[in-house]
Amino acid sequence: LRLVKLPPATRDREARRQGKAAERKRKELDEQMCAGQGRPQCVPLEPQPFTLVIEIDAWNIRERDDWGQSREQRAKGLEPERWHWVYGGTAFRLNQRTQSERGRSMILSRGTVMTRGGIDTLREQLYAECLRHGLGQAADVLVVADGAMWIWNLVADRFGTAAQRLDFYHASQHLWAVAHALHPEDARAAHQWVEPLLKKLKAGRSIKVIAELKAVTKRLRAKRRARAQCELDYFQTHRERLDYHLAQKRGQPLGSGAIESTCRQYQCRFKRPGQFWTRSGDEALMCLETFWRNGRWHLLFPHSPDPSKN
């Protein structure tokens, strides 16, 4: 094996070329999957009933919008944009969720989707990925995510019969926001107020938590009341997604940690100091990264081993 050092421009050009080929291949595979012709792509099914878990999130990437034209854009009253949303999702079977010898949570097999193409693109790609992991055969489907409404609109569109759960960590953050509004100068008092509510929330007593928030909101004035009302509205919006007691009983995830950690891993690659991307460039390289993560590298490079045959 002989390693040859290539000039940066050559590496960049080849990465773009292979990335565009990966995008075309992804589209081809997704279309086959959604047309009922993607059986060879499916992860083998177990004989026993299973729950399919879907998690969804998003993160920001920096791009070179109007690069070199910032002064002209600002002179026109237009502030150049630099940060844009990348949308991601993951799907796995609940029985593939386990722990290492040291107690670290891990998932033995799952599919990942990550795109700069927008919510509609995410919806179609995630749907195809879920089909590969047994969406049509699952006894139950569960979606776990934060409170962003675009997520739940997407779920209603493609996964309308799925059970829905608000990420517990995000829910607890909103309770802490009320605690700090009540006790802005006293961290200990804030902790004493919020701790019993967190326990009630995890125990499935969300109705009592919402009742407590209503009572607190009535007692507050001005900005503090507005903040508490905002959080009360948040919990009322998601009141059907607070079944944490059932999650613990069934061994299901309380939060969307799997996709959140995946987003962080992508950010380690795409948000390094001094990095700026173009939309075509980041989507192409992100597609390559996702093929590798999903164990489909051999579909792009036939000389690579197929991990499913190891």
Side-chain angles (χ1 to χ4, degrees):
L1 179 64
R2 182 186 176 192
L3 298 179
V4 179
K5 188 174 182 179
L6 299 175
T10 302
R11 294 199 304 268
D12 176 73
R13 183 169 59 252
E14 184 62 14
R16 286 175 179 271
R17 187 178 75 83
Q18 296 292 356
K20 293 302 179 185
E23 288 185 66
R24 292 192 293 271
K25 188 65 175 179
R26 179 180 62 188
K27 182 178 180 182
E28 175 191 336
L29 293 173
D30 287 354
E31 288 177 348
Q32 289 175 357
M33 203 69 236
C34 295
Q37 302 169 356
R39 192 168 186 177
Q41 304 177 38
C42 294
V43 177
L45 293 172
E46 303 89 349
Q48 67 271 25
F50 65 90
T51 296
L52 182 69
V53 180
I54 305 168
E55 298 182 7
I56 304 171
D57 204 358
W59 52 280
N60 284 130
I61 195 168
R62 186 165 58 169
E63 296 178 355
R64 292 176 178 266
D65 297 34
D66 301 314
W67 194 251
Q69 304 175 35
S70 299
R71 185 176 298 176
E72 291 83 351
Q73 291 294 316
R74 291 190 176 108
K76 297 176 183 178
L78 303 173
E79 184 62 28
E81 294 186 30
R82 293 286 183 264
W83 295 96
H84 301 274
W85 288 109
V86 175
Y87 298 95
T90 191
F92 58 92
R93 298 170 189 168
L94 188 60
N95 57 11
Q96 292 292 297
R97 184 171 174 259
T98 184
Q99 288 187 334
S100 66
E101 292 181 357
R102 296 186 176 183
R104 181 180 179 182
S105 296
M106 57 187 296
I107 301 171
L108 301 178
S109 176
R110 64 173 169 137
T112 298
V113 169
M114 200 67 64
T115 181
R116 174 67 182 86
I119 295 172
D120 291 342
T121 301
L122 171 68
R123 182 184 63 237
E124 302 310 316
Q125 291 182 16
L126 183 58
Y127 182 66
E129 193 62 40
C130 290
L131 288 174
R132 292 185 184 100
H133 285 263
L135 176 64
Q137 295 78 31
D140 299 289
V141 180
L142 169 67
V143 180
V144 189
D146 64 32
M149 291 313 300
W150 68 265
I151 293 177
W152 302 111
N153 290 336
L154 182 155
V155 171
D157 187 333
R158 274 292 181 266
F159 312 102
T161 61
Q164 302 178 8
R165 180 169 301 131
L166 179 68
D167 175 272
F168 181 78
Y169 174 73
H170 284 87
S172 65
Q173 281 186 312
H174 285 264
L175 279 180
W176 271 106
V178 180
H180 291 309
L182 286 170
H183 307 284
E185 308 296 334
D186 192 338
R188 183 176 180 180
H191 185 274
Q192 290 176 341
W193 180 85
V194 78
E195 195 62 30
L197 292 181
L198 290 172
K199 290 180 179 178
K200 289 179 182 178
L201 192 62
K202 190 172 284 188
R205 300 164 67 188
S206 57
I207 294 176
K208 290 191 175 183
V209 173
I210 292 174
E212 176 66 19
L213 290 177
K214 287 180 179 179
V216 165
T217 302
K218 291 178 180 178
R219 296 199 305 265
L220 295 175
R221 294 289 182 271
K223 290 184 179 180
R224 293 185 185 180
R225 180 169 186 171
R227 182 59 186 274
Q229 183 63 53
C230 180
E231 305 306 342
L232 172 59
D233 293 342
Y234 177 88
F235 279 97
Q236 289 181 321
T237 297
H238 298 289
R239 65 191 308 159
E240 302 300 324
R241 303 183 179 117
L242 307 175
D243 59 342
Y244 305 115
H245 62 301
L246 289 178
Q248 296 175 93
K249 182 178 179 181
R250 298 172 181 173
Q252 297 174 347
L254 274 69
S256 53
I259 186 59
E260 289 181 20
S261 64
T262 301
C263 287
R264 289 191 206 100
Q265 291 165 24
Y266 274 85
Q267 290 179 73
C268 287
R269 176 62 185 88
F270 290 89
K271 290 177 72 171
R272 293 175 182 174
Q275 277 189 338
F276 284 86
W277 297 87
T278 63
R279 179 165 180 171
S280 60
D282 56 30
E283 180 72 9
L285 190 57
M286 216 174 293
C287 188
L288 285 170
E289 172 85 3
T290 306
F291 263 89
W292 176 77
R293 284 178 175 271
N294 287 336
R296 301 184 191 127
W297 199 246
H298 63 286
L299 299 179
L300 300 175
F301 306 101
H303 61 278
S304 300
D306 182 349
S308 67
K309 295 181 180 179
N310 291 344

